[in-house]
Amino acid sequence: WRECIEFKNMLLPLEFKGTGRVRLGDFYGTAMNGTWQFSENPAYLRELGALDESDPANPFVIIPNYNNGHSNCVGATPYHDVCCISECEALTEAIEKKFAAPAVAPQDLAALMATLGSSTVPADRELSSVLVQRLHAIAEVHDGLVPIYGRLFAQWMHHAYPRECAYPHLAGTTSPMNPAEWASVHHAAIKAGGSEMRGFAFRKQRKNAPLHTVPWINTEELPAGMQGGAIGPPVAWVAIQFA
């Protein structure tokens, strides 16, 4: 756990404008300056789910996806790895304890979330109008309630707690593996080469480049077969696309 917090604290000073993201060039810059961490190649980061390429010319590493990813797991036995505990779990647990239901009215969720802080987000804050509006937009397509185990609410949590809650990629777009597994499958090292790192680290940013924002994809994915009132972990998912 200590190492997990250390990784996060090393990335936070490099964060881009409160987005929970670090420019890939800055990520590699730490490795080029002698830090042994933060050297995974883009292909591995992409499959890990830690790479934001919404602007292909300016990729970003997503802090919680990287920090809680398989790359930071330790192989305890041949049958399981020991990985970082997501700080978002404490927030989800608070929601479960408060409501004990798989779906919650948006106004009730907003009231609770405003009181919940994290290691980098203060408690008892006023949620932005965008966050509140998005909760209501999710509820509009779910009979007035927000499914707390759906992809859209997970995405909302990432926007509300960008350094603690992972960004939920669409199902099937990532394939997380630990470094040894990935290297065996792809017959390649996960570490980026020196020239590749330098290419990103020294890439010039256009002065008129658009400001990077955290993406919002309006596609829902819900647990399949959830019975009324059950709040156990989902075992399967169904994707739903909203216009």
Side-chain angles (χ1 to χ4, degrees):
W1 174 249
R2 184 180 69 253
E3 289 81 1
C4 299
I5 296 300
E6 288 176 355
F7 288 162
K8 179 181 177 182
N9 288 339
M10 291 170 67
L11 291 171
L12 286 179
L14 306 174
E15 182 187 19
F16 182 80
K17 299 184 183 299
T19 59
R21 286 153 170 71
V22 173
R23 285 185 58 252
L24 184 58
D26 295 334
F27 180 83
Y28 286 149
T30 62
M32 293 168 57
N33 289 329
T35 302
W36 64 268
Q37 301 97 337
F38 312 145
S39 60
E40 294 90 341
N41 67 52
Y44 178 74
L45 292 172
R46 184 178 301 114
E47 291 194 32
L48 188 67
L51 200 61
D52 177 354
E53 296 180 285
S54 51
D55 178 2
N58 193 23
F60 284 79
V61 174
I62 309 169
I63 292 175
N65 293 53
Y66 176 81
N67 204 46
N68 301 327
H70 287 56
S71 59
N72 293 324
C73 296
V74 177
T77 76
Y79 305 103
H80 75 276
D81 292 335
V82 176
C83 304
C84 294
I85 299 173
S86 170
E87 293 180 76
C88 202
E89 289 187 11
L91 298 165
T92 301
E93 183 179 353
I95 298 170
E96 292 173 340
K97 286 183 176 180
K98 174 69 174 178
F99 300 110
V104 181
Q107 64 272 17
D108 294 337
L109 260 182
L112 175 65
M113 302 316 296
T115 69
L116 298 179
S118 70
S119 59
T120 64
V121 175
D124 300 315
R125 59 172 168 157
E126 182 177 351
L127 297 180
S128 71
S129 59
V130 172
L131 284 176
V132 174
Q133 289 168 5
R134 281 179 170 160
L135 277 181
H136 284 273
I138 296 171
E140 284 179 4
V141 294
H142 291 298
D143 298 322
L145 298 176
V146 177
I148 63 173
Y149 297 111
R151 182 192 167 274
L152 285 178
F153 183 62
Q155 186 172 227
W156 187 92
M157 290 288 284
H158 177 65
H159 280 249
Y161 303 91
R163 306 166 198 90
E164 287 75 45
C165 296
Y167 177 79
H169 293 280
L170 297 175
T173 60
T174 63
S175 182
M177 303 180 198
N178 67 37
E181 290 172 330
W182 192 90
S184 176
V185 169
H186 294 276
H187 305 290
I190 71 163
K191 184 175 181 179
S195 60
E196 187 172 31
M197 288 188 190
R198 289 191 293 273
F200 284 103
F202 300 137
R203 180 178 293 181
K204 294 183 178 180
Q205 300 299 303
R206 293 185 292 115
K207 291 183 178 180
N208 60 344
L211 179 66
H212 185 85
T213 57
V214 179
W216 181 275
I217 298 177
N218 200 31
T219 298
E220 181 68 289
E221 292 172 354
L222 294 173
M226 178 176 286
Q227 301 301 313
I231 60 170
V235 295
W237 299 90
V238 176
I240 304 172
Q241 175 71 57
F242 299 114

